[in-house]
Amino acid sequence: MTIDTVTFDVWNTLVVHEFYDDRLKNHRMKSIRDALREHGHSCTCEEIRIAYDYTEECLTRIWQTERDLSNDGHLALFLEGMGLDPDDDTMEIIREPYSCALLDFRPKLVDGAADIINTLKDQGYRLGLISNTGRTPGRTMREVLSEYGLAGCFTAMTFSDEVGHIKPGRQIYDRALKSLGSAPEKTVHIGDNPLLDVYGAKACGWKAILFTKYMASFEKYASKYYNANGRTAEPDYTVETLGQIVDALAALDSKNVE
């Protein structure tokens, strides 16, 4: 079986940022506070912080079950944490400051990301994305990728807030495969996490390539949200740079022929 479909993780595979500290969090909270005050809701910094911590606790429990909430679900949780009614009008007030805070701290492309995407597209591969989104929804990530000129390269982009499930769960991989119109044995997933990307893909019958450049920085952030619970799988190939993917795919294709 010839490989005809390649999917990528997004964070720490195609884009990367250094904001695993409180800069993005603080900016998001301030923007929400300002938006609420502008619309006549008096709220203190402490009330915003309590609401943020409340959503963090709720989301952590949800993510640990490998489910996710829609963007509206996030907004409703935040307003619930503030003691406000999550009606449509109030959710709309905080939608942009909550969902688009990343646009003020734009992630940069990983070295070689644009080159590898365009090379694989030119070689005729069907391309897709599979990404857990955290607090930044898929619609915002599409905007980031569009600004880098990459969004149009993908046949399908599958984000956890839109599916309701996160990697490594089978549901998000199955949704991606259906959107791409491919078969498991013809599909390779590339990502930086042994559990989310390697185990998740291999458990669905896909091939998997592990990209190692940013593994350590992500693990520090993600360990509280994901638990392998003994689940492991070996990648079919490991690469340190995105440029090595072309040779890895060629080698996997030659193994398929054998």
Side-chain angles (χ1 to χ4, degrees):
M1 284 284 186
T2 301
I3 294 164
D4 62 17
T5 303
V6 179
T7 64
F8 286 85
D9 171 46
V10 177
W11 285 107
N12 297 314
T13 302
L14 295 181
V15 301
V16 65
H17 68 46
E18 299 173 352
F19 309 124
Y20 292 120
D21 54 28
D22 284 341
R23 279 175 288 176
L24 181 56
K25 171 184 174 180
N26 290 337
H27 176 69
R28 178 179 273 118
M29 289 193 296
K30 180 181 182 302
S31 298
I32 292 170
R33 183 200 66 195
D34 291 347
L36 286 168
R37 287 180 175 178
E38 184 179 336
H39 287 81
H41 294 274
S42 74
C43 53
T44 66
C45 295
E46 179 64 10
E47 287 171 330
I48 295 290
R49 186 195 62 76
I50 288 170
Y52 193 101
D53 290 347
Y54 174 78
T55 62
E56 179 75 7
E57 293 171 6
C58 294
L59 289 169
T60 298
R61 289 196 298 269
I62 291 166
W63 290 334
Q64 286 173 346
T65 68
E66 296 178 5
R67 295 180 296 118
D68 203 356
L69 293 182
S70 67
N71 186 221
D72 278 359
H74 280 243
L75 302 179
L77 270 183
F78 195 93
L79 293 173
E80 183 179 295
M82 291 194 67
L84 295 174
D85 182 20
D87 59 71
D88 290 345
D89 290 342
T90 313
M91 285 202 295
E92 204 56 39
I93 291 170
I94 70 168
R95 186 179 304 281
E96 291 303 307
Y98 184 98
S99 309
C100 298
L102 180 73
L103 298 180
D104 294 313
F105 291 86
R106 293 179 187 273
K108 65 180 183 179
L109 282 181
V110 172
D111 289 343
D115 289 341
I116 191 62
I117 294 300
N118 285 298
T119 295
L120 296 182
K121 183 182 178 185
D122 291 344
Q123 290 180 347
Y125 287 101
R126 186 185 295 114
L127 301 180
L129 293 179
I130 309 175
S131 177
N132 293 351
T133 53
R135 293 181 185 266
T136 301
R139 70 181 183 92
T140 303
M141 292 313 303
R142 286 185 178 88
E143 184 173 341
V144 170
L145 293 166
S146 292
E147 290 185 357
Y148 284 121
L150 295 181
C153 297
F154 298 101
T155 300
M157 292 186 273
T158 306
F159 294 103
S160 63
D161 68 295
E162 299 168 357
V163 176
H165 297 274
I166 65 171
K167 297 182 294 184
R170 186 181 188 96
Q171 295 92 335
I172 192 168
Y173 282 97
D174 286 347
R175 177 73 67 84
L177 198 66
K178 183 177 181 181
S179 298
L180 289 161
S182 190
E185 64 273 13
K186 294 185 175 184
T187 305
V188 177
H189 180 65
I190 300 163
D192 67 300
N193 187 273
L195 172 65
L196 308 187
D197 298 304
V198 176
Y199 172 83
K202 299 281 282 186
C204 295
W206 302 22
K207 300 289 192 298
I209 294 174
L210 181 65
F211 174 57
T212 60
K213 185 172 182 178
Y214 297 103
M215 280 178 58
S217 61
F218 179 76
E219 280 301 321
K220 287 174 62 177
Y221 163 79
S223 58
K224 66 178 177 178
Y225 300 125
Y226 311 114
N227 192 325
N229 290 322
R231 296 172 296 177
T232 61
E234 289 296 318
D236 295 282
Y237 269 87
T238 297
V239 297
E240 295 180 356
T241 69
L242 294 179
Q244 295 172 313
I245 288 170
V246 171
D247 289 342
L249 290 172
L252 284 173
D253 253 341
S254 68
K255 285 184 178 181
N256 285 342
V257 171
E258 293 170 5

